[in-house]
Amino acid sequence: MLSTTPKECPARLLAQARQHPRVTTVVINPINEISLASARMANEQGLIEPILVGDIETMRRQAEAMGWSLEQIRLVQAADETEAARLGVALVSQGEAHSIMKGHVHTDILLRAVLNKAAGLRTNSRLSHVFYMTVPGIDKALCITDAVINVQPSVLDKLHIARNAIEFMHALGNLEPKVALLSGTEEVSKSMPSSQDAAELVKLAAMGAMPGAVVEGPLAFDNAVSLEAATIKGIKGKVPGQVDILLVPNLESGNFLFKQMVYFMGATAAGLVLGARVPIILTSRADPPEARLASCALASLYCAHRAVQVS
């Protein structure tokens, strides 16, 4: 039942990212082989210029074991993951780096450092995560949000999550992404709060709260991804069968969905945390190298987009 299809970092995504300069990226506490290998791969592929923040002796020893010379790489000493997160975030605050990559560090420690008011990386937006899902042999990507950070988001939280994802798609060149507000039904029901949230978000979109996107819902999953299913049920709209962003009701549903695509369809799940001043490349210990590389490519494109917006 599990897919044995090899994972792929989309070639078009790499080619698109390589059109932009390398992004100076702080890698937080890369003291194990997996995190060092990820930084090395992204560096050798021309996507990032890494700054490794962690125990220097440990990083050198691990890098030597994998045949990577760190002579040309900037190293910053940190005693533990908490200090590595603090120092790495400080480098971004000082303008010495423009993205963050998670190494061997707990996610809550990293995000706590990012959200520290003294760091200056907070914005008016709530932090949220976007998965960029690609399936081998299929050109169209599908975004899932939020399956990592916001456990049980409110309507206001979902508004921030949607805006972050819409800007993310704009950065990738999709200037009018189609957003499906998922629920267990296409009807608004008091017994299903996610359907009520979707109805509220559609109203907010009609008032201009989510510009640069087509937002529809509530939609059950089948109606969002299949035009045929939507047609049979008499559901009309621009989103069914053409969806770009699936805004899930809560973290659990998003977690189940993206892992089903990974393990049953062989999908590559690249992703970023958005909503801070810089993108955060957030990977899991179970992620394959292809997902890590694709995540760095996404960060490159997002940084290039934000640079244009600021200028």
Side-chain angles (χ1 to χ4, degrees), residues 272-283:
L272 299 178
V273 174
L274 307 173
R277 268 180 42 207
V278 301
I280 303 168
I281 302 162
L282 195 65
T283 54

Side-chain angles (χ1 to χ4, degrees), residues 169-201:
M169 292 302 288
H170 289 174
L172 301 185
N174 185 341
L175 301 184
E176 195 178 51
K178 296 175 177 62
V179 182
L181 306 172
L182 292 188
S183 182
T185 176
E186 61 275 5
E187 302 291 341
V188 179
S189 170
K190 290 183 179 179
S191 63
M192 197 168 294
S194 59
S195 69
Q196 295 180 302
D197 288 356
E200 288 295 321
L201 288 166

Side-chain angles (χ1 to χ4, degrees), residues 84-295:
R86 180 179 61 81
L87 293 176
V89 166
L91 289 171
V92 176
S93 299
Q94 296 158 13
E96 297 184 48
H98 304 289
S99 71
I100 298 171
M101 178 188 287
K102 179 189 173 187
H104 190 64
V105 56
H106 287 86
T107 300
D108 59 336
I109 290 176
L110 174 56
L111 296 184
R112 193 178 303 126
V114 170
L115 291 172
N116 188 324
K117 289 184 179 180
L121 298 190
R122 298 176 67 166
T123 69
N124 292 328
S125 179
R126 185 177 183 85
L127 291 188
S128 65
H129 185 276
V130 173
F131 272 120
Y132 182 85
M133 309 295 299
T134 54
V135 178
I138 299 177
D139 288 337
K140 184 177 175 62
L142 187 65
C143 289
I144 299 172
T145 190
D146 178 353
V148 173
I149 294 178
N150 294 281
V151 177
Q152 194 67 44
S154 66
V155 171
L156 181 57
D157 295 337
K158 289 178 180 178
L159 176 60
H160 285 273
I161 292 168
R163 285 173 170 170
N164 287 343
I166 290 166
E167 184 187 13
F168 172 74
M169 292 302 288
H170 289 174
L172 301 185
N174 185 341
L175 301 184
E176 195 178 51
K178 296 175 177 62
V179 182
L181 306 172
L182 292 188
S183 182
T185 176
E186 61 275 5
E187 302 291 341
V188 179
S189 170
K190 290 183 179 179
S191 63
M192 197 168 294
S194 59
S195 69
Q196 295 180 302
D197 288 356
E200 288 295 321
L201 288 166
V202 167
K203 291 178 183 178
L204 290 171
M207 296 168 60
M210 287 173 268
V214 177
V215 181
E216 295 176 1
L219 287 170
F221 178 78
D222 57 340
N223 304 325
V225 300
S226 170
L227 178 59
E228 180 182 5
T231 301
I232 290 171
K233 294 182 180 180
I235 299 170
K236 299 180 180 179
K238 296 181 179 180
V239 172
Q242 300 295 323
V243 65
D244 298 300
I245 300 170
L246 296 173
L247 198 155
V248 297
N250 51 42
L251 186 146
E252 290 101 323
S253 59
N255 184 276
F256 298 154
L257 177 56
F258 99 83
K259 287 180 178 175
Q260 285 173 350
M261 291 185 68
V262 169
Y263 287 97
F264 288 169
M265 301 175 64
T268 297
L272 299 178
V273 174
L274 307 173
R277 268 180 42 207
V278 301
I280 303 168
I281 302 162
L282 195 65
T283 54
S284 165
R285 287 172 295 177
D287 286 336
E290 294 82 3
R292 298 166 185 270
L293 186 61
S295 298

